[in-house]
Amino acid sequence: MKYKTLTQYLVEQQREHKAVSADVRLLIETVSRACKAISHAVSKGALGGVLGSLGTENVQGEVQKKLDVLSNEILLEANEWGGNLAAMASEEMQTIHRIPTHYPKGQNLLLFDPLDGSSNIDVNVSIGTIFSVLQAPVEAAGREIAEEDFLQPGTRQVAAGYAIYGPQTMLVLTVGAGVMGFTLDREMGSWLLTHEDIRLPEQTAEFAINMSNMRHWEAPVRRYIDECLQGETGPLGKNYNMRWIASMVADVHRILTRGGIFMYPRDARASGRKGKLRLMYEANPMSFLVEQAGGLAIDGANRILDIQPDALHQRIGVILGSREEVERLQRYHQEA
Ligand code: AHG
Ligand code: MN
Ligand code: MN
Ligand code: MN
């Protein structure tokens, strides 16, 4: 079967549908090349000396894995000379990374979680890279880009996607014209459009949550999971299954593929009061993808994409997936 390549898809979206500009197309192609290099490093594992931790901590207070830092460096190097970026931001960097003055620059802002699911690296479970593309605000023209210029709600994203390094390496992408899945053909080095217009099933009987945090959850989450666990004789009338991979990319990919509800809610712990996941480069890009596929993404009562960020590494509660289940959770939060 002859598949369309990522470039062919993006050129179509640029020329025919005006869904993506030339410099966003080039940016996505640059990011996709970086993800190929990360996939190559990931697949070497111990043979490539990429397993294990460094002695360093990132701005999140997490011990950095070698692959966290290596993936970050690969994305920085690939995008510095790409010519269509004003600046970048990453989970692994304290503040923004401006494009050096002697490089060509553009109007796009790139944010990324270079290696998502780091706790799974050393146990050989699927991990990924998440990215989000914003545009520099008009008022930033003529001056240096500042961190504040990144603090835009998720509705302003012009593109978002993730690479998942699993049994296959895939790139799942939206430019606002639906969600497309590309499988990496390693022989040719091409991303081939194998999953056109991914639609997230509206109904599900599968939830994804880290159950060990149950005693810390707020009432609406506790109520919903209790009801799921009552099975078909309970108020939801279904027997639910549970999955938790602890790589957001892998959990979201499963949900985009077969439906489900993903929950990393805020909780009563000091560390969990705002949630664990980061708004700008985890929740927002994943919420854009989920909504483009027909699903819903909330922080409890509010739509994630509407949230006005106040800090680059701001954390947020995340509940996303099959529309019917997420709407139920939203009602429970509004009733609380
Ligand atoms: P990261 O590895 O980029 O820091 O993200 C890890 C996140 C997310 O991928 C996953 O859903 C969640 O952490 C898992 O958290 P627990 O280990 O607490 O279950
Ligand atoms: Mn991390
Ligand atoms: Mn992550
Ligand atoms: Mn990460």
Side-chain angles (χ1 to χ4, degrees):
M1 178 168 181
K2 180 117 179 67
Y3 293 106
K4 206 176 282 182
T5 65
L6 173 64
T7 298
Q8 286 168 331
Y9 168 75
L10 289 171
V11 168
E12 261 178 20
Q13 290 305 317
Q14 177 192 335
R15 288 206 184 125
E16 288 165 36
H17 307 289
K18 312 287 182 248
V20 64
S21 65
D23 73 338
V24 170
R25 169 170 69 83
L26 291 169
L27 170 56
I28 293 169
E29 289 179 333
T30 303
V31 170
S32 74
R33 271 194 298 280
C35 290
K36 268 194 278 190
I38 295 170
S39 172
H40 184 69
V42 164
S43 63
K44 285 192 166 187
L47 302 177
V50 297
L51 302 185
S53 301
L54 299 166
T56 51
E57 257 192 19
N58 62 13
V59 64
Q60 328 279 341
E62 298 168 337
V63 173
Q64 287 180 305
K65 298 282 190 178
K66 288 178 187 169
L67 261 180
D68 281 327
V69 174
L70 175 63
S71 307
N72 194 59
E73 285 163 0
I74 290 172
L75 280 156
L76 288 179
E77 279 158 30
N79 282 290
E80 269 190 337
W81 55 267
N84 28 60
L85 268 185
M88 293 179 256
S90 163
E91 176 199 347
E92 303 304 331
M93 299 190 297
Q94 168 96 26
T95 186
I96 65 171
H97 178 91
R98 292 186 186 85
I99 301 304
T101 45
H102 53 290
Y103 280 94
K105 280 201 277 294
Q107 286 313 307
N108 299 307
L109 304 178
L110 177 67
L111 303 97
F112 46 84
D113 174 358
L115 208 291
D116 174 65
S118 306
S119 63
N120 283 324
I121 294 171
D122 297 344
V123 295
N124 198 16
V125 168
S126 298
I127 48 184
T129 298
I130 308 171
F131 65 92
S132 169
V133 183
L134 294 168
Q135 307 221 284
V138 174
E139 59 272 16
R143 63 163 168 77
E144 223 181 32
I145 286 291
E147 191 170 298
E148 293 64 45
D149 296 323
F150 280 73
L151 303 184
Q152 303 176 33
T155 45
R156 298 268 186 78
Q157 292 174 97
V158 293
Y162 60 79
I164 177 167
Y165 313 116
Q168 304 96 44
T169 286
M170 284 189 70
L171 182 77
V172 175
L173 170 74
T174 185
V175 294
V179 178
M180 304 293 151
F182 299 84
T183 302
L184 178 61
D185 171 350
R186 292 188 187 282
E187 280 101 53
M188 302 299 288
S190 312
W191 294 100
L192 300 181
L193 181 55
T194 50
H195 297 68
E196 192 151 1
D197 197 19
I198 295 172
R199 302 301 298 164
L200 207 167
E202 298 223 349
Q203 298 182 332
T204 186
E206 188 163 81
F207 64 85
I209 194 165
N210 182 335
M211 293 292 282
S212 68
N213 299 326
M214 182 181 278
R215 63 189 181 286
H216 306 300
W217 295 340
E218 296 175 350
V221 172
R222 187 64 191 260
R223 173 182 171 191
Y224 174 71
I225 297 295
D226 283 349
E227 289 177 353
C228 290
L229 296 176
Q230 290 173 47
E232 56 193 358
T233 55
L236 303 184
K238 291 187 270 188
N239 292 327
Y240 280 71
N241 187 29
M242 193 204 102
R243 285 285 181 275
W244 186 251
I245 305 174
S247 289
M248 185 185 198
V249 169
D251 280 313
V252 170
H253 189 73
R254 184 194 59 254
I255 288 167
L256 279 173
T257 308
R258 73 182 191 206
I261 180 167
F262 173 94
M263 305 165 76
Y264 212 116
R266 55 173 184 265
D267 63 38
R269 290 173 294 181
S271 60
R273 201 164 305 288
K274 286 209 154 185
K276 170 179 185 180
L277 300 178
R278 283 57 57 115
L279 175 61
M280 296 305 295
Y281 39 80
E282 290 175 316
N284 270 343
M286 291 310 204
S287 299
F288 189 15
L289 287 162
V290 161
E291 288 202 2
Q292 280 288 309
L296 201 57
I298 59 175
D299 71 345
N302 309 303
R303 181 184 180 225
I304 286 176
L305 292 179
D306 290 333
I307 291 171
Q308 173 54 50
D310 50 35
L312 189 60
H313 299 291
Q314 170 177 344
R315 294 176 190 266
I316 190 88
V318 178
I319 296 170
L320 58 77
S322 294
R323 178 167 287 278
E324 251 185 51
E325 294 301 292
V326 178
E327 281 171 348
R328 171 181 296 280
L329 251 293
Q330 191 166 33
R331 279 198 307 277
Y332 288 6
H333 279 85
Q334 287 159 351
E335 289 163 8

